[in-house]
Amino acid sequence: MKFGTYVYEPEKAAGFDFHVLRVKLETGDRIPPVQDMYSNIAVFADNAATRSHPDWISQSPLGPAQMGNNNFNIYWSVVCATQPEHRAEQLDYIEDVDRHSLGVWLNSQYFADHSHCTCPRCKELRKKSGLSWFEWRRKEVTDYIAQVRERVKKELVMCIQPDPVTACERYGVDFDDLAKYADAFNVVMFSKNYATAWYWEMLARGFKKLLKKPVYISLYVYGPGDAAKDVPSASELLTVSVRCARTGIDGILYLANGASQIRDFQKAAVDKVELRKRLKGYGGEPVQEVLDLVKNWEKIVE
Ligand SMILES: [Zn+2]
């Protein structure tokens, strides 16, 4: 297994195999990529683009993909996934970011949610295609990812929502289609607590069965603007890491604002001496790899 950080600031905490930097956020904010980190880019979720071009926003019978439309789990405003200018600009941007970092991890590279998009262009494109609604959306997403693959020379990772069953109906995402172009998948499993590890373990197991490329999962440690009382405890994070590891996944990333929050987590994890002992009995080799990682942190957090 491999272990990484998933961060908003370009500082690399010690004790991990790799680091993914959030170079373009769903707000549309961008920071420069870093040569020895991977780059995470939110493609269609982009508040800045929808602010500059209100007509680019994804449409549906239940309203636009706009922050505050509670018909959907949408926390950002999302550009229509067929918007040609946004698509072209993002392709150029992705190519440039790839050149200046270790590779590209994409998220929000698909339709906003179910029933999207019904803007006039999408209606026209679908009619011309002669395909069913679901088949047309799937083709739009897959064709765009094929174009991305032509631009990305280094590693290309597909971040996906933690929905193993209706990804196609909701987002136009077909896992097998994306596996043809992706070097790996990253299942985003962000939560402010991991009190019931069983569900996350089940999701990890499901995705490991479904996905035909290496599977990473991402766990939530400490986001921008969080207070200590808002975030998962080190005990929950250790337990859920071990329980997901034993499903055979290929790696775990830990999301935090920056390296200092990662170091706080490492220190708290090291301090869970009793729990670390107990978790040794939770599985075979992959579980030991997680516990060895924490053991290794002992030297770092002193
Ligand atoms: Zn549209």
Side-chain angles (χ1 to χ4, degrees), residues 28-295:
D29 292 339
R30 302 177 189 197
I31 58 170
V34 172
Q35 207 57 254
D36 56 355
M37 296 173 91
Y38 296 94
S39 299
N40 171 226
I41 296 171
V43 180
F44 293 112
D46 191 326
N47 291 349
T50 58
R51 210 163 34 237
S52 310
H53 306 277
D55 56 317
W56 288 7
I57 200 160
S58 186
Q59 301 291 335
S60 85
L62 292 168
Q66 194 159 19
M67 254 192 307
N69 180 356
N70 294 328
N71 287 299
F72 303 99
N73 300 311
I74 286 172
Y75 308 106
W76 317 97
S77 296
V78 187
V79 174
C80 162
T82 70
Q83 211 301 320
E85 287 152 272
H86 188 76
R87 274 186 165 207
E89 192 274 331
Q90 290 293 293
L91 281 177
D92 291 344
Y93 174 65
I94 288 166
E95 182 175 352
D96 186 62
V97 166
D98 178 56
R99 213 179 294 134
H100 294 97
S101 62
L102 294 176
V104 176
W105 292 46
L106 296 183
N107 71 288
S108 187
Q109 71 279 35
Y110 39 69
F111 284 96
D113 206 327
H114 67 83
S115 317
H116 285 268
C117 173
T118 54
C119 76
R121 178 186 48 257
C122 283
K123 283 183 177 163
E124 188 60 32
L125 284 169
R126 190 212 152 183
K127 210 164 101 187
K128 268 194 206 151
S129 76
L131 296 170
S132 72
W133 167 248
F134 290 128
E135 278 303 306
W136 168 73
R137 292 165 88 242
R138 172 183 167 182
K139 189 174 183 316
E140 288 289 348
V141 171
T142 302
D143 288 354
Y144 188 58
I145 298 305
Q147 292 174 42
V148 169
R149 180 73 269 185
E150 283 176 18
R151 303 292 194 98
V152 174
K153 305 302 174 207
K154 299 174 188 155
E155 189 174 89
L156 176 62
V157 177
M158 295 288 137
C159 301
I160 53 174
Q161 297 282 330
D163 179 347
V165 179
T166 59
C168 206
E169 290 84 350
R170 289 177 65 192
Y171 306 111
V173 164
D174 181 273
F175 299 138
D176 290 348
D177 284 1
L178 265 48
K180 286 179 206 143
Y181 304 106
D183 294 304
F185 288 94
N186 172 39
V187 185
V188 173
M189 295 190 183
F190 296 150
S191 179
K192 294 279 179 101
N193 76 64
Y194 294 101
T196 312
W198 153 252
Y199 296 113
W200 305 102
E201 180 180 0
M202 181 168 56
L203 274 177
R205 203 173 290 282
F207 277 110
K208 185 58 193 171
K209 176 180 172 181
L210 285 174
L211 300 175
K212 295 185 173 136
K213 283 287 167 72
V215 181
Y216 296 103
I217 64 163
S218 287
L219 300 174
Y220 192 96
V221 174
Y222 202 110
D226 280 336
K229 65 174 172 41
D230 300 328
V231 300
S233 68
S235 297
E236 284 179 4
L237 281 163
L238 271 181
T239 305
V240 78
S241 296
V242 156
R243 292 188 59 157
C244 289
R246 69 184 182 185
T247 68
I249 54 166
D250 303 274
I252 301 177
L253 286 88
Y254 295 95
L255 178 106
N257 188 54
S260 80
Q261 286 80 17
I262 291 285
R263 281 193 289 271
D264 290 345
F265 161 58
Q266 288 173 303
K267 184 164 183 0
V270 163
D271 286 345
K272 299 284 166 214
V273 177
E274 283 307 309
L275 178 63
R276 285 164 59 197
K277 265 189 216 151
R278 181 151 30 98
L279 291 174
K280 282 185 182 170
Y282 270 52
E285 183 55 31
V287 167
Q288 300 316 313
E289 286 183 50
V290 175
L291 297 173
D292 288 348
L293 175 83
V294 179
K295 173 99 187 122

